[in-house]
Amino acid sequence: MMISLRYILRPFLVLFISLLIFSGGCAREEGLLKNPGFKASDMSIKDWSVEGNGSLEKAQGGGVRFVSAAGAPFVYQQAEAKKRHKGSSISLGAWVRTDLPDSVFIEFSNRLGIDARSETHPGDGKWRLMMVSTRVPEASQMLEFRLRVSKPGVVFIKDASMSPGMTVP
């Protein structure tokens, strides 16, 4: 029995085309965050900041440990909104673990009052991939990734991303 080369190559061709479609094509822009894996040197987390009452420190096993106090503090990083980003879609994501029920979410902000947020973490102590997608408003000058905590507690964060031109289903 002779198998045609066409039948052997068809699954690989389908896989290749699917990867191109779902990855946004060959010319997709890289992520906008610096240090998305929260690499630390001497316990300081380069390129990330905290707004409000909270502290950020290197966690054992990778990522960071964010301890929040009163208020709604957040960990954030900004990127410049370039012309090609305005009006296009943007997706944010991060792996998050916490015991705080319905209190932790990731958020996109342009610091002009336009924010979009993910669903909240269930607070089950498990690593969850949290995601949000939105359109970048034309007036945006900054694009900001945030991880916000609405009550005091501890949150672990790994592998954040903020990527233009993609939509999370």
Side-chain angles (χ1 to χ4, degrees):
M1 178 162 136
M2 190 169 169
I3 298 175
S4 169
L5 186 59
R6 182 176 89 197
Y7 292 109
I8 294 171
L9 294 178
R10 180 178 284 167
F12 295 104
L13 182 59
V14 169
L15 177 62
F16 177 73
I17 291 170
S18 298
L19 287 172
L20 279 178
I21 291 169
F22 292 113
S23 70
C26 295
R28 196 176 103 224
E29 183 175 353
E30 291 297 317
L32 299 173
L33 297 177
K34 296 176 184 172
N35 191 13
F38 298 95
K39 304 280 188 260
S41 59
D42 300 329
M43 297 304 286
S44 65
I45 313 301
K46 185 178 179 192
D47 300 312
W48 290 91
S49 302
V50 174
E51 185 163 309
N53 296 320
S55 63
L56 195 61
E57 58 192 43
K58 183 177 177 179
Q60 284 186 329
V64 292
R65 180 176 185 257
F66 179 52
V67 180
S68 69
F74 55 91
V75 176
Y76 73 97
Q77 188 178 134
Q78 294 178 334
E80 179 185 356
K82 298 187 175 165
K83 187 175 182 178
R84 67 180 175 271
H85 300 138
K86 297 176 183 186
S88 70
S89 62
I90 191 163
S91 296
L92 288 72
W95 284 95
V96 179
R97 180 170 60 101
T98 187
D99 291 328
L100 297 172
D102 302 318
S103 303
V104 178
F105 55 91
I106 61 171
E107 179 177 56
F108 165 81
S109 178
N110 70 348
R111 288 276 180 162
L112 295 174
I114 305 295
D115 300 335
R117 61 181 265 187
S118 70
E119 293 182 13
T120 58
H121 191 287
D124 58 4
K126 296 179 182 177
W127 284 105
R128 302 277 181 175
L129 178 59
M130 301 180 72
M131 300 180 289
V132 63
S133 290
T134 191
R135 289 231 170 264
V136 176
E138 292 289 337
S140 299
Q141 299 301 310
M142 291 301 238
L143 309 173
E144 188 169 275
F145 175 102
R146 294 179 182 170
L147 181 123
R148 188 180 290 273
V149 183
S150 62
K151 59 175 116 170
V154 177
V155 180
F156 294 90
I157 315 158
K158 281 190 196 182
D159 302 323
S161 68
M162 182 165 65
S163 300
M166 296 176 56
T167 303
V168 176

